[in-house]
Amino acid sequence: MTDQEYMLLALEEANKAAVLGEVPIGAVIVHQEEVIATAFNLREKLQTTNSHAELLAIDKANQVLGSWRLEDCTLYVTLEPCPMCAGAILQARIPRIVYGAKDPKAGCAGSLLNLLEDDRFNHQAEVVPGVEAEACSQLLTDFFKRLREKKKAESNIQE
């Protein structure tokens, strides 16, 4: 499969999050051309800070491989990783990250910082940005537009 095809799987995960009212971000981890973990954001449902799609997928991949080292894996995620997720990616030793939409407010794979390719760390990851970027961005834009409209409608009802 291609990067685009794996990103479409991550978009399917992101859509699952949207259905639950979560920020629609999905992640897929591939090990030697086999999908070993999929996840989507569950921060609102679980009310835990670390319930980002990437972290949930990393945990699943650790279980599948029986190791904290994900050295032969690629992580596909619909939104550029935040600082917390970028740190976990480095700690998991994932060598390749493919993401869709840039995150100008929290992105740490090139937008605000690039923690993943910083040679001051003992591990770096190749970053491939912009795969299915338009679809990933549109999913987020539509979600937040609906959320704003819902909040506006609720505030109009209360008046």
Side-chain angles (χ1 to χ4, degrees):
M1 287 177 61
T2 66
D3 285 346
Q4 288 76 16
E5 291 168 317
Y6 287 122
M7 187 60 73
L8 292 175
L9 294 177
L11 275 163
E12 287 177 19
E13 291 298 307
N15 278 308
K16 292 176 187 176
V19 168
L20 296 176
E22 296 279 349
V23 176
I25 300 168
V28 171
I29 297 181
V30 176
H31 177 257
Q32 299 175 351
E33 299 185 32
E34 178 187 348
V35 174
I36 61 166
T38 62
F40 53 87
N41 266 12
L42 285 172
R43 191 165 59 170
E44 295 302 320
K45 181 177 184 204
L46 298 178
Q47 289 296 302
T48 57
T49 305
N50 64 345
S51 296
H52 286 200
E54 299 97 307
L55 298 180
L56 296 172
I58 287 170
D59 283 346
K60 288 180 183 179
N62 292 150
Q63 292 172 20
V64 168
L65 295 180
S67 175
W68 63 270
R69 293 177 186 266
L70 302 178
E71 294 172 322
D72 294 322
C73 295
T74 298
L75 169 66
Y76 294 86
V77 62
T78 57
L79 182 67
E80 180 181 1
C82 72
M84 176 176 66
C85 293
I89 290 163
L90 290 175
Q91 291 299 313
R93 306 297 194 264
I94 300 172
R96 186 167 183 264
I97 311 308
V98 179
Y99 75 83
K102 287 191 173 290
D103 186 351
K105 294 183 179 180
C108 284
S111 289
L112 292 180
L113 302 170
N114 192 342
L115 294 177
L116 297 174
E117 294 179 316
D118 190 325
D119 62 7
R120 294 175 293 177
F121 290 111
N122 66 338
H123 175 76
Q124 292 81 44
E126 173 192 359
V127 176
V128 180
V131 175
E132 295 294 327
E134 188 173 325
C136 294
S137 295
Q138 193 62 54
L139 183 61
L140 288 160
T141 299
D142 292 347
F143 173 81
F144 285 113
K145 181 180 178 186
R146 284 190 306 274
L147 190 61
R148 285 188 301 275
E149 289 170 353
K150 180 181 176 189
K151 285 183 180 181
K152 185 177 179 181
E154 287 173 355
S155 70
N156 287 341
I157 291 171
Q158 294 175 355
E159 291 176 358

